């Protein structure tokens, strides 16, 4: 029995043989936007389109209100975020007030260090307006790596590439 999951124009069919996707003619789906943005990140640069589709299958979509905190400085770093719509600000504790470090909008990624290095958050992320983010959680990514040799190999390629560049 197959399950169908719909996100915008990208439709996933999950079967025993794997995940298949198709588009409505002429439309670019959220999965394509996610994949294009994530492939700019070194961590995902070696991933094929098929492997990015598998990563996309575990992504959650979260909506936040203006002024809402996505996470706080010091929180566990266990997920990566890609801004789909809206605007967020990275703020850190100053001596007397919070200091804005960076403002990020659609297509920008935050939380990468937390996801990869398992370090506490270095800043608080506050939504400057209503914001929608794609969220990739480490626990889901770890399961995907464990269960998919192709995804595991892609991560190994990234690690080898980084190791060669710094040695």
């Amino acid at each position: 029995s197959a399950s169908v999951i719909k996100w915008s124009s990208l439709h996933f069919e999950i079967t025993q043989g794997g995940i298949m996707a198709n588009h409505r003619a002429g439309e670019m789906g959220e999965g394509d936007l996610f994949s294009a943005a994530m492939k700019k990140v070194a961590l995902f640069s070696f991933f094929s389109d098929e492997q990015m589709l598998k990563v996309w299958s575990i992504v959650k979509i979260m909506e936040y209100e203006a002024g809402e905190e996505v996470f706080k400085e010091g929180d566990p770093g266990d997920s990566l975020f890609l801004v789909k719509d809206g605007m967020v600000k990275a703020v850190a504790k100053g001596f007397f007030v919070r200091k804005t470090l960076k403002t990020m909008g659609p297509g920008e990624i935050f939380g990468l260090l937390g996801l990869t290095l398992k370090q506490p958050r270095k800043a608080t992320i506050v939504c400057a307006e209503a914001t929608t983010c794609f969220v990739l959680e480490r626990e889901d990514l770890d399961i995907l790596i464990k269960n998919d040799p192709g995804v595991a190999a892609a991560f190994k390629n990234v690690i080898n590439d980084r190791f060669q560049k710094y040695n």
Side-chain angles (χ1 to χ4, degrees), residues 88-91 99-104 108-109 125:
V88 299
K89 295 188 291 186
V91 295
K99 176 182 175 186
T100 298
L101 304 173
K102 183 176 183 181
T103 301
M104 295 163 280
E108 293 190 82
I109 293 168
I125 300 293

Side-chain angles (χ1 to χ4, degrees), residues 28-89:
M28 186 171 183
E30 289 177 341
D32 295 314
L33 299 172
F34 174 81
S35 181
M38 295 302 277
K39 282 189 168 189
K40 294 177 185 175
V41 177
L43 181 65
F44 297 99
S45 62
F46 286 93
F47 278 48
S48 68
D49 289 341
E50 182 180 327
Q51 291 163 336
M52 283 307 302
L53 182 61
K54 290 176 181 178
V55 172
W56 170 246
S57 74
I58 62 173
V59 167
K60 294 172 177 63
I61 299 174
M62 299 293 294
E63 294 181 347
Y64 302 93
E65 307 258 337
E68 188 174 352
E69 292 180 344
V70 177
F71 55 75
K72 293 182 180 185
E73 185 175 351
D75 283 354
D78 55 4
S79 48
L80 173 143
F81 297 78
L82 170 65
V83 179
K84 178 184 180 277
D85 297 307
M87 193 75 61
V88 299
K89 295 188 291 186

Side-chain angles (χ1 to χ4, degrees), residues 146-162:
K146 181 180 176 186
N147 294 327
D148 190 309
V151 172
F155 270 103
K156 184 177 178 185
N157 287 340
V158 171
I159 292 166
N160 287 340
D161 181 62
R162 296 290 137 206

